[in-house]
Amino acid sequence: MGEAVKISDVLHRDELRALSKCSNRRAALVLSGNWLLIVIAFAGAIIWPNPLTILLGIALLGGRQLGLEIIMHDCAHNAFFVNKALNQFVGHWICGAPRNIPLAVYRDIHLKHHKYAGSSDDPDLKFVKSYPVTAESLKRKFIRDLTGQTGLRDTLFKLRNLNFSESYQWIAFHAILLLVLTFFGAPWAYLMWWAAEIFIHPAISRLRQIGEHGVASNRSSADPRDNTSTTRAAWWERLFVSPNFVNYHLEHHYFAHVPGYNLQRLHKILSERGFYDGFECVSKGYADVLMRSIRTERPLAGQSA
């Protein structure tokens, strides 16, 4: 195999400049779209209360909980709205507060992930270092997630360590959510948010982590094409599993200042110009991610099963 193509060989400076431009209109559409889907998830279950609409609403809420985190992530990079102050406000209050994640704390940890990706100092390495795993191990992980064991553990930890001075925004969000649903005569629907957080969000977060770095060919390499992956997601996967273009993670690692809503276009340019040729860094959907995350041979010494 010849020498790998360099990013500067396939992407012109003016193209990158255009891709890096934030758009208040597109950011507002993404943000409002996420909250509209949250409203639809609750409204569908309230207007037509039956097991199907409730379960569908819970699944949709789980995806949008992750969706709020992804918008917060983009705001942490100041790569969502044009204005930095607006990014800080939206990231902290509109997206971070419902997830009880202070923007400043998240930014500090996440920027270290970018700085140290491809090394043992990566703070996110602990989430994916055991992959690929055996099929039995992967099954056990997702059973724990989908039966609520992971989510309940994390929720209890969060509640035990709750500090009002640090989490009052999160408490306020839950109070407002309960009041609104009670106003519409459906206080029971409030439990849908918690069901999504406990039973759905852990599973899709795990799948996201596997798709981003768990199936990477060489997590010790400095080349993002080796230590990071992108997933070409179908529309329904984007709706429930990989919201707000988070599946284009490889492109994000190359250019963290490119807004998420421009990553699909960036991926298309790089793909068409052969930048990924010779690398196993693109998955064809999340079924492909799961298949690539399974190890068929016996584990090496010191590697977890």
Side-chain angles (χ1 to χ4, degrees), residues 215 231 237 282-294:
V215 296
T231 303
E237 292 174 313
V282 179
S283 298
K284 301 174 183 67
Y286 283 93
D288 186 32
V289 167
L290 291 174
M291 292 300 296
R292 294 177 62 195
S293 71
I294 295 174

Side-chain angles (χ1 to χ4, degrees), residues 25 71 113 148 179 275 295:
R25 182 185 66 83
I71 295 176
H113 165 60
L179 284 172
F275 184 64
R295 182 177 63 235

Side-chain angles (χ1 to χ4, degrees), residues 39-49 53-54 181 184-189 192:
V39 171
I40 289 172
F42 282 118
I46 293 170
I47 297 171
W48 302 287
T53 57
I54 292 172
L181 292 172
F184 284 102
W188 57 267
M192 291 174 60

